Amino acid sequence: MSNTATITEVSEKAIPQTDEPINLISKIHVIPRFSDKYAERKWAKEHMAGAFRVLSKFGWNDGAGGHISLRDPVQPDCFWINPYSKHFGLITVSDLILVTEDGAPITPTKYKVNTAGFMIHSALHKARPDVNAAVHTHSPYGRAWSTFGRPIEMLNQDCCYFYNDLSVYEGFGGVVIAKEEGEHIASCLGPTNKSIILQNHGILTAGGTVDEAVALFIALEQACQSQLLVEAAAANGIPKRLVGDEEAKYTKEGAGKPEVLFMQFVPEYEMILKETNGDFLK
């Protein structure tokens, strides 16, 4: 008699016998919740610092420019922002600066705050209580596509993250050093949208968590890259076949939820944690 079990026999032995239904995707997308706001602050700052390392890994550090903001869970009228002119790949938790809505640093720091970054993020956090984090840096494809002052099209499944959830700010007014320019950008984002293309400037995304905002930024940068590639192909006579409105809406409702987008960043965070040996947590 053979000692080799069949695949069916092995499978049946491996599956626990139960009358309860098995749901492998139950609660697969979960954002951590905290009763202790100081614990939430620590967790969120760690993910913020990790996000800078991820952006650096992708090559999206932008000299002295580029910024992420995080509404403080303990003092919601204040927010954390990165120090001016420090490479994303070097930023740690202890480097992050807590500022008031007027720009005054609360935490002791030897660094300065990027004026343009403050003007943009301060206006966003004031206008949108639901926005706890926002990301902006001059990534290459977002910057290139912003030249056209147009939204992206529903080219593929991932572009559907931005179905009816993408603004285009056409009023480029130079480097954002005036309070009014930041307010105009926040107004253009509107009451519900989480992503915006800033004409002749780049892209900006927002979310309820740093993780969601960064996941959207990565997705929008990739969508801009796809758009540029498709436009080049279409210029040679290849017709586009866009995702239909019904399908795009359905995909957005399923894949564009905050919980799903949060989980999109989890692999990036875990990988950068391993690659840096947690250096950014200092």
Side-chain angles (χ1 to χ4, degrees):
M1 180 182 295
S2 172
N3 290 325
T4 304
T6 64
I7 293 176
T8 301
E9 290 172 339
V10 173
S11 299
E12 288 178 348
K13 291 178 181 178
I15 298 175
Q17 299 302 310
T18 175
D19 294 330
E20 296 296 324
I22 298 176
N23 186 350
L24 297 179
I25 61 172
S26 176
K27 296 183 180 179
I28 196 170
H29 305 116
V30 178
I31 300 175
R33 304 298 179 189
F34 296 83
S35 57
D36 183 342
K37 291 299 180 182
Y38 286 94
E40 182 178 354
R41 171 194 274 178
K42 178 178 183 296
W43 173 83
K45 288 175 65 181
E46 290 175 349
H47 281 235
M48 180 179 179
F52 283 112
R53 298 302 183 95
V54 171
L55 296 182
S56 175
K57 179 181 175 180
F58 289 163
W60 299 342
N61 190 84
D62 188 39
H67 19 83
I68 298 177
S69 66
L70 167 69
R71 187 188 301 276
D72 184 48
V74 179
Q75 298 175 266
D77 58 341
C78 302
F79 63 90
W80 297 88
I81 194 166
N82 51 300
Y84 178 63
S85 197
K86 182 156 189 176
H87 196 285
F88 289 178
L90 297 175
I91 290 176
T92 65
V93 168
S94 60
D95 291 324
L96 303 176
I97 303 171
L98 182 62
V99 295
T100 67
E101 60 183 15
D102 296 320
I106 296 177
T107 51
T109 179
K110 64 180 179 180
Y111 298 109
K112 303 296 184 181
V113 173
N114 184 318
T115 301
F118 173 79
M119 291 301 179
I120 293 172
H121 293 276
S122 177
L124 284 178
H125 288 297
K126 284 182 181 179
R128 292 281 297 274
D130 62 311
V131 168
N132 291 324
V135 183
H136 170 65
T137 188
H138 300 167
S139 51
Y141 297 109
R143 180 163 44 186
W145 181 248
S146 75
T147 304
F148 297 98
R150 292 170 50 193
I152 59 165
E153 297 175 307
M154 298 298 102
L155 301 172
N156 52 54
Q157 177 175 297
D158 293 342
C159 289
C160 296
Y161 288 136
F162 308 101
Y163 181 75
N164 284 343
D165 194 0
L166 177 66
S167 301
V168 177
Y169 179 60
E170 299 179 351
F172 178 68
V175 178
V176 186
I177 56 175
K179 177 182 177 182
E180 292 74 18
E181 185 71 358
E183 292 173 345
H184 292 159
I185 291 172
S187 177
C188 183
L189 186 64
T192 60
N193 284 0
K194 293 183 178 178
S195 301
I196 185 169
I197 293 175
L198 309 172
Q199 183 180 307
N200 304 113
H201 189 167
I203 59 177
L204 181 148
T205 57
T209 60
V210 166
D211 312 66
E212 179 188 3
V214 177
L216 279 172
F217 190 93
I218 294 170
L220 186 53
E221 171 69 2
Q222 292 172 338
C224 290
Q225 181 182 13
S226 293
Q227 188 78 53
L228 289 163
L229 291 170
V230 169
E231 293 296 332
N236 289 317
I238 303 175
K240 300 178 188 176
R241 294 186 178 181
L242 303 181
V243 177
D245 283 341
E246 184 177 346
E247 292 79 8
K249 182 175 182 291
Y250 174 80
T251 304
K252 166 65 176 175
E253 290 174 349
K257 295 178 180 177
E259 296 81 3
V260 179
L261 290 165
F262 173 87
M263 294 301 297
Q264 282 289 98
F265 184 66
V266 168
E268 300 295 347
Y269 182 81
E270 291 180 345
M271 192 65 191
I272 206 69
L273 190 63
K274 179 180 179 180
E275 290 175 345
T276 64
N277 198 29
D279 171 69
F280 59 86
L281 300 177
K282 299 175 183 176

